[in-house]
């Protein structure tokens, strides 16, 4: 007893774990459709709206038929179909329909037990309308004759409760639990009465009471005999379901002690349902019960059949055959999708429930135990939930840009042998979230453009990719605000928002701006949008648009700049130097010097690139004292640009020897200044010459030594140098610092710049560059003027 209680407690605990709660309703069969059975929302303590929010529904347990429904508005359980207790439960004393109430969010399962109460809607019924009995006239008082009982499809009080026999002279009724017998009260006399008709009534206990009657026709016979006797009162057999037709289930046998017709036993079924008649047949002669229809465990798991053995004269007896059906694994599990979230946003966190799956197997025990799984390699798993329910949950981060669709195959296999399985494929798609910023195809972009470009010309194009879907992946380009040389970038460039093509807004001037950098942003159209930035460097290349500019001698007109050439100058002596610069760079600033016209063509030469003017032969007495040279300076651009200057040379050792000097002087006003200047120049020249001679002397002594830096140099006051220019080598060619920077940045020493590089390598390291700012320039000029005033 104690053990049993513990067991039932245990069962109760299990039961509570398996389901959230149980509800039980009791109501009579045959209620009208739509009748209210009870209010489940109220019974669960939920508000009226909860049922529709949580997608409440009734799941039938195993069978497909739906007997009741939920009114989602108020939570009432209502009758959905005819509920016939006899059809559902037959003779079972209690008829319970099991249904399940499923609520989602969170998933909850409540068992509903519907107790169908019997109503007295069936009358007791005898198998036949007429029972023929043959009774020997010598039957003694008290002899008993078994009658077949009546049957009432209702149960309990509504089933057959009592029998009554219409009053007659000879018979009474004896009813015990299982049998009804006619008891002979007064001996028969065939000679007086050959046939007797009796009326037997069966009554049920319902209200109103129903009844059924049968006429018993008794023929009084001359002789006496024995009723057949079954070898067993109960025959038990077990039969696998789906047994083929003609399978012998069991053979009943009864013997009759009589001889001849009286001992000939025939068999038949007692009162059985039509279902049983469709499945089993009994052989009249040999009592063999065979299968003639489909035996389905899932429909009926056991049969109880009354069999009757009758001898030739109508005496009969009854036995019971109990056939239990054995389950065979003949039902594959059925997978059904109860709810699904589709599409799934790609940003759901791992562990999110995206679907609810239910699995049913109609078989019992191990044949009905189901394992459920999905294929490997998808970021989903099945988590067993309550009873036959599984949740499909994500196991990892989803990424629509990597996998946008999943076909999830849910396979259910039962434990039978051989096992049966079935599967269902669910197509899940992943919805886009704006989780990828546009990414530029390159880390940075460079554009090269020649100066003097047309406004509106295309410089380059940038391109960014965004793998997101539709507007989340649509890229729009724009220029980030900024400044170039103090002006907004938009006055330099514009970018096409759709294509990323970058246009120049204005014409660029290399001499003012060599390069600049802007930031371009690529933004997608999501909300909120994502963006990334890239820098675009624009390099402007030089065009030969500046002619050489001659710094020394001063342009035509300022001819007071006259060089003195000592009469004793020998061949190759450095006399003067033309200094020119070109605002362009590279080849465009690579200057060459030519004498285009001279007083005495054979006397002077000019260094092609140095601009140094030297004597070509020794000066002789016969040479004219005044020598004029016209020098042209050309750059190396395509086409090249040039400038010319005049150089005045005086062959003299002494300014006093030069009376004609007045010819090349200026207005009277300036004569004083001019003569000062001349004195200054001459003394400077003399100083130079002395210096040069010393250098030459030194050089002579070290003839075999490599060339020195100051070889043949003419010192030019640095004040002559324009701002941002540098005397890089001291030997005459001036190059802009820009140029110097430019070829450094080219990195590789390309053939174009080869000569420049080698020149530089041999002559001057970068740190000896000399720079002068405009203020320095003015200062020096001021000093020079002051000293001249003295
Ligand atoms: C999923 O199945 C559908 C239909 O069979 C097919 O068109 C689709 O390509 C499959 N998708 C994947 C990701 O396998
Ligand atoms: C873009 O992403 C947002 C969330 O970032 C999402 O709500 C929207 O549905 C996406 N658009 C498309 C077309 O997928
Ligand atoms: C791009 O530049 C803008 C402006 O400077 C800034 O607001 C934004 O955060 C930058 N975006 C990225 C991805 O760096």
């Amino acid at each position: 007893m104690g053990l049993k209680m513990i067991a039932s407690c245990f069962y109760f605990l299990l039961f509570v774990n398996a389901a959230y709660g149980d509800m039980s309703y009791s109501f009579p069969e045959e209620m009208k459709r739509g009748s209210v059975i009870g209010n489940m929302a109220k019974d669960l303590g939920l508000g009226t709206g909860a049922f529709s929010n949580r997608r409440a529904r009734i799941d039938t347990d195993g069978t497909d038929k739906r007997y009741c429904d939920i009114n989602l508005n108020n939570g009432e359980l209502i009758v959905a179909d005819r509920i016939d207790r006899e059809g559902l439960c037959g003779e079972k004393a209690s008829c319970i329909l099991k249904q399940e109430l499923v609520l989602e969010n969170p998933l909850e399962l409540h068992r509903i037990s519907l107790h169908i109460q019997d109503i007295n809607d069936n009358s007791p019924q005898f198998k036949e309308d007429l029972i023929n009995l043959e009774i020997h006239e010598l039957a003694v008082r008290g002899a008993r004759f078994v009658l077949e009982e009546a049957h009432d499809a209702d149960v309990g009080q509504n089933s057959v409760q009592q029998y009554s026999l219409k009053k007659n002279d000879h018979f009474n009724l004896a009813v015990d639990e299982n049998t009804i017998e006619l008891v002979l009260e007064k001996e028969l006399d065939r000679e007086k009465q050959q046939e007797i008709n009796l009326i037997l009534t069966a009554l049920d206990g319902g209200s109103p009471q129903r009844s059924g009657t049968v006429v018993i026709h008794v023929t009084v016979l001359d002789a006496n005999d024995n009723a057949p006797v079954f070898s067993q009162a109960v025959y038990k057999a077990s039969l696998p379901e789906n047994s083929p037709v003609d399978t012998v289930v069991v053979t009943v046998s009864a013997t009759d002690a009589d001889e001849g017709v009286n001992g000939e036993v025939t068999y038949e079924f007692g009162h059985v349902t039509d279902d049983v008649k469709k499945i089993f047949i009994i052989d009249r002669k040999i009592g063999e019960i065979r299968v003639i229809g489909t035996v389905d465990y899932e429909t009926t798991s056991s049969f109880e059949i009354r069999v009757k053995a009758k001898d030739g004269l109508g005496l009969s007896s009854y036995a019971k055959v109990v056939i239990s059906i054995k389950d065979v694994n003949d039902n594959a599990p059925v997978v059904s999708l109860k709810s699904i979230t589709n599409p799934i946003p790609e940003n759901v966190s791992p562990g999110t429930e995206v679907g609810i799956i239910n699995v049913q197997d109609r078989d019992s025990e191990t044949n009905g135990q189901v394992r459920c799984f999905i294929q490997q390699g998808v970021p989903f798993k099945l988590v067993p939930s309550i009873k036959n329910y599984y949740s499909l949950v994500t196991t990892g981060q989803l990424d629509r840009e990597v996998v946008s669709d999943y076909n999830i195959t849910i396979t259910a296999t039962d434990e039978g042998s051989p096992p049966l399985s079935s599967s269902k494929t669910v197509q899940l798609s992943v919805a886009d979230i704006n989780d990828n910023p546009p990414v530029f195809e390159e880390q940075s972009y460079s554009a090269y453009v020649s100066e003097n470009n047309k406004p509106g010309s295309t410089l380059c194009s940038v391109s960014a990719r965004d793998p997101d879907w539709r507007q989340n992946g649509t890229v729009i380009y724009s220029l980030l605000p900024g400044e170039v040389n103090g002006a907004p970038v938009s006055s330099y460039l514009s970018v096409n928002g759709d294509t990323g093509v970058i246009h120049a807004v204005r014409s660029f001037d290399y001499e003012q701006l060599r390069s600049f950098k802007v930031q371009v942003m690529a933004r997608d159209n999501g909300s909120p949008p994502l963006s990334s930035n890239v820098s675009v460097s624009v390099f402007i290349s030089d065009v030969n648009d500046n002619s050489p500019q001659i710094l020394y001698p001063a342009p035509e007109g300022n001819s007071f700049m006259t060089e003195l050439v000592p009469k004793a100058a020998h061949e190759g002596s450095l006399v003067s130097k033309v200094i020119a610069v070109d605002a362009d760079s590279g080849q465009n600033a690579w200057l060459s010097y030519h004498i285009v016209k001279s007083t005495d063509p054979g006397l002077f030469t000019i260094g092609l690139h140095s601009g140094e003017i030297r004597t070509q032969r020794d000066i002789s007495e016969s040479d004219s004292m005044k020598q004029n040279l016209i020098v042209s300076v050309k750059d190396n651009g395509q086409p090249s640009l040039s400038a010319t200057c005049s150089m005045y040379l005086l062959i003299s050792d002494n300014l006093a020897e030069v009376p004609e000097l007045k010819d090349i002087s200026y207005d009277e006003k300036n004569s004083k200044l001019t003569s000062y200047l001349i004195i200054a120049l001459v003394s400077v020249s003399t100083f130079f010459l002395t210096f040069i001679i010393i250098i030459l002397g030194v050089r002579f002594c070290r003839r075999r030594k490599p060339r020195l830096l100051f070889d043949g140099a003419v010192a030019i006051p640095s004040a002559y140098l324009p701002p941002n220019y540098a005397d890089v080598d001291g030997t005459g060619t001036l190059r802009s610092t820009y140029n110097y920077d430019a070829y450094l940045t080219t990195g590789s020493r390309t053939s174009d710049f080869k000569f420049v590089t080698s020149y530089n390598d041999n002559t001057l390291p970068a740190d000896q560059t000399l720079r002068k700012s405009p203020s320095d320039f003015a200062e020096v000029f001021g000093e020079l003027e002051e000293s001249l005033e003295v």
Side-chain angles (χ1 to χ4, degrees):
M1 192 66 186
L3 249 177
K4 210 170 175 186
M5 258 174 69
I6 290 166
S8 64
C9 279
F10 189 58
Y11 174 74
F12 177 72
L13 282 178
L14 275 181
F15 193 71
V16 163
N17 277 341
Y20 284 71
D22 261 18
M23 284 180 292
S24 159
Y25 296 96
S26 183
F27 60 99
E29 60 174 327
E30 306 287 359
M31 290 224 290
K32 275 212 297 262
R33 260 167 238 203
S35 311
V36 177
I37 298 168
N39 191 318
M40 289 193 293
K42 213 190 279 171
D43 295 345
L44 287 172
L46 296 172
T48 43
F51 267 34
S52 52
N53 291 345
R54 294 184 58 187
R55 300 172 55 168
R57 57 173 179 267
I58 296 288
D59 265 6
T60 52
D61 193 17
T63 73
D64 292 329
K65 196 145 180 193
R66 177 173 294 271
Y67 291 102
C68 47
D69 236 326
I70 307 177
N71 182 339
L72 285 180
N73 297 326
N74 54 20
E76 279 175 349
L77 183 66
I78 53 175
V79 175
D81 201 354
R82 181 184 165 212
I83 302 178
D84 174 25
R85 197 205 64 81
E86 287 75 36
L88 287 170
C89 305
E91 291 176 22
K92 274 189 226 152
S94 81
C95 182
I96 300 173
L97 262 185
K98 292 223 168 111
Q99 312 263 294
E100 280 163 2
L101 169 68
V102 181
L103 296 173
E104 287 181 14
N105 268 330
L107 188 61
E108 269 181 33
L109 187 75
H110 298 275
R111 273 186 209 204
I112 312 168
S113 302
L114 301 176
H115 296 263
I116 316 291
Q117 291 159 358
D118 189 37
I119 60 168
N120 193 20
D121 54 349
N122 291 283
S123 302
Q125 236 185 338
F126 289 94
K127 194 186 163 203
E128 284 140 2
D129 291 340
L130 182 74
I131 301 174
N132 280 312
L133 269 183
E134 292 167 329
I135 301 175
H136 199 275
E137 59 178 327
L138 294 184
V140 292
R141 194 164 159 263
R144 289 172 173 240
F145 305 91
V146 178
L147 292 175
E148 184 170 3
E149 59 197 9
H151 182 260
D152 188 325
D154 295 322
V155 293
Q157 276 296 305
N158 294 333
S159 68
V160 179
Q161 294 296 308
Q162 52 170 310
Y163 293 91
S164 76
L165 189 67
K166 202 176 160 212
K167 213 173 152 47
N168 65 85
D169 293 340
H170 296 277
F171 295 97
N172 249 344
L173 209 55
V175 182
D176 76 4
E177 219 177 301
N178 270 321
T179 50
I180 338 162
E181 289 164 316
L182 274 182
V183 183
L184 191 62
E185 289 293 330
K186 185 175 168 234
E187 282 90 353
L188 299 169
D189 187 351
R190 199 187 70 87
E191 283 65 41
K192 270 194 193 153
Q193 198 175 8
Q194 204 172 350
E195 291 176 343
I196 305 167
N197 278 330
L198 303 168
I199 294 174
L200 178 64
T201 306
L203 293 161
D204 65 22
S207 139
Q209 199 174 43
R210 288 169 174 264
S211 64
T213 55
V214 66
V215 175
I216 306 168
H217 181 85
V218 180
T219 311
V220 183
L221 291 179
D222 253 355
N224 200 2
D225 50 17
N226 295 293
V229 178
F230 275 104
S231 59
Q232 287 168 248
V234 177
Y235 293 87
K236 284 198 167 136
S238 118
L239 180 71
E241 66 172 322
N242 305 333
S243 289
V245 167
D246 271 349
T247 305
V248 176
V249 182
V250 69
T251 306
V252 296
S253 91
T255 49
D256 194 302
D258 293 325
E259 287 186 332
V261 189
N262 293 345
E264 255 174 37
V265 180
T266 58
Y267 303 93
E268 61 187 87
F269 286 139
H271 180 87
V272 289
T273 61
D274 287 347
D275 290 345
V276 173
K277 283 185 204 150
K278 279 183 202 149
I279 300 173
F280 299 108
I281 195 167
I282 186 161
D283 186 285
R284 279 183 60 80
K285 291 260 168 63
I286 56 178
E288 196 177 70
I289 297 177
R290 281 182 290 120
V291 175
I292 54 164
T294 312
V295 185
D296 184 12
Y297 175 86
E298 285 72 40
T299 314
T300 319
S301 59
S302 79
F303 292 92
E304 216 179 281
I305 304 170
R306 281 183 84 80
V307 288
K308 176 176 170 186
K310 205 171 75 170
D311 66 19
L313 292 177
L315 288 180
S316 51
S317 61
Y318 294 87
K320 202 154 64 166
V321 175
V322 178
I323 304 170
S324 48
I325 309 298
K326 281 190 298 193
D327 186 37
V328 164
N329 192 21
D330 60 345
N331 289 288
V334 178
V335 179
S336 50
L337 203 60
K338 292 295 182 184
S339 97
I340 192 88
T341 310
N342 196 16
I344 312 163
E346 60 178 324
N347 64 349
V348 296
S349 47
T352 305
E353 182 181 82
V354 297
I356 297 172
I357 285 131
N358 180 251
V359 185
Q360 299 276 0
D361 191 310
R362 296 185 62 214
D363 293 320
S364 330
E365 304 195 343
T366 54
N367 291 340
Q369 263 163 28
V370 182
R371 279 181 310 117
C372 203
F373 53 90
I374 62 169
Q375 79 267 38
Q376 299 282 305
V378 291
F380 296 96
K381 68 174 177 190
L382 279 185
V383 176
S385 186
I386 45 182
K387 218 179 125 197
N388 296 325
Y389 285 85
Y390 293 84
S391 294
L392 183 64
V393 300
T394 57
T395 57
Q397 210 66 57
L398 303 179
D399 189 352
R400 192 202 65 85
E401 287 72 39
V402 179
V403 187
S404 62
D405 287 290
Y406 291 96
N407 285 340
I408 308 290
T409 305
I410 303 154
T411 309
T413 308
D414 63 27
E415 309 265 287
S417 105
L420 293 175
S421 67
S422 66
S423 60
K424 187 177 189 82
T425 299
V426 189
Q427 206 173 346
L428 287 177
S429 40
V430 182
D432 189 40
I433 292 291
N434 191 20
D435 56 354
N436 288 285
V439 173
F440 280 98
E441 282 170 357
E442 277 161 46
Q443 301 263 304
S444 63
Y445 291 83
S446 300
Y448 298 89
V449 59
S450 296
E451 59 177 330
N452 307 331
N453 58 299
K454 274 206 218 98
S457 58
T458 300
L459 298 186
C460 67
S461 73
V462 295
S463 163
R465 299 238 168 283
D466 188 327
D468 287 323
W469 181 246
R470 299 259 164 90
Q471 73 257 34
N472 291 340
T474 308
V475 180
I476 301 155
Y477 303 94
S478 60
L479 215 50
L480 282 180
E483 287 197 343
V484 173
N485 273 5
V489 286
S490 55
S491 66
Y492 284 84
L493 295 181
S494 72
V495 60
N496 183 316
D498 298 330
T499 60
V501 173
I502 293 175
H503 300 279
V505 167
R506 59 161 75 166
S507 178
F508 300 125
D509 182 3
Y510 174 82
E511 284 71 37
Q512 271 170 19
L513 187 64
R514 312 255 150 150
S515 68
F516 59 95
K517 214 180 225 189
V518 298
Q519 295 283 318
V520 173
M521 178 168 78
R523 183 172 59 82
D524 62 29
N525 222 351
S527 137
L530 296 175
S531 68
S532 54
N533 299 335
V534 75
S535 68
V536 178
S537 305
V538 178
F539 296 101
I540 299 156
S541 57
D542 189 37
V543 164
N544 194 18
D545 59 347
N546 290 287
S547 13
Q549 199 185 340
I550 295 167
L551 302 174
Y552 183 86
E556 306 245 19
N558 291 339
S559 51
F560 68 91
M561 293 208 177
T562 301
E563 297 283 351
L564 274 187
V565 182
K567 282 183 181 154
H570 292 290
E571 174 194 344
S573 303
L574 180 61
V575 168
S576 184
K577 179 169 165 74
V578 176
I579 299 165
V581 291
D582 193 310
D584 296 320
S585 61
Q587 293 280 5
N588 295 336
W590 183 237
L591 300 179
S592 58
Y593 301 84
H594 307 272
I595 295 173
V596 292
K597 204 172 161 205
S598 63
T599 317
D600 184 349
L603 189 52
F604 298 104
T605 61
I606 191 161
L608 183 60
H609 294 299
S610 63
E612 286 171 357
I613 298 170
R614 291 170 189 273
T615 50
Q616 207 166 2
R617 56 174 170 76
D618 296 349
I619 304 281
S620 71
E621 284 298 329
S622 60
D623 288 327
S624 163
M625 196 179 192
K626 281 201 292 182
Q627 296 283 339
N628 285 356
L629 299 177
I630 296 183
V631 174
S632 140
V633 184
K634 277 201 269 182
D635 61 28
N636 206 17
Q638 285 294 335
S640 78
L641 297 172
S642 66
T644 55
C645 64
S646 304
M647 168 116 353
Y648 300 96
L649 300 170
L650 267 179
I651 302 177
S652 168
D653 289 333
N654 189 340
L655 270 184
E657 285 179 20
V658 196
E660 300 91 336
L661 206 59
K662 283 179 192 117
D663 297 349
I664 46 172
S665 63
Y666 296 102
D667 323 0
E668 285 301 319
K669 275 194 270 178
N670 282 340
S671 61
K672 197 180 169 197
L673 177 64
T674 310
S675 46
Y676 276 129
L677 271 175
I678 289 167
I679 293 162
L681 274 171
V682 168
S683 46
V684 164
S685 303
T686 317
F687 174 72
F688 284 170
L689 225 65
T690 322
F691 184 66
I692 287 158
I693 288 162
I694 292 167
I695 293 291
L696 284 177
V698 169
R699 190 187 169 195
F700 232 72
C701 298
R702 301 181 180 174
R703 200 185 227 143
R704 291 288 161 210
K705 299 226 166 151
R707 285 183 54 164
L708 278 178
L709 220 116
F710 282 93
D711 182 18
V714 172
I716 301 298
S718 60
Y720 278 116
L721 303 180
N724 293 328
Y725 283 80
D727 182 359
V728 291
D729 48 27
T731 55
T733 299
L734 291 174
R735 283 186 289 104
S736 71
T737 51
Y738 284 155
N739 182 24
Y740 181 65
D741 290 342
Y743 75 74
L744 271 188
T745 53
T746 57
S748 66
R749 294 171 175 187
T750 59
S751 57
D752 265 3
F753 288 99
K754 205 168 196 168
F755 63 98
V756 180
T757 355
S758 56
Y759 190 79
N760 186 63
D761 284 348
N762 290 340
T763 54
L764 194 84
D767 54 12
Q768 285 188 15
T769 344
L770 220 148
R771 292 171 196 242
K772 278 287 172 187
S773 68
S775 61
D776 291 340
F777 191 90
E779 215 172 85
V780 173
F781 239 115
E783 275 170 21
L784 183 70
E785 267 171 29
E786 262 169 39
S787 65
L788 288 176
E789 292 289 342
V790 176

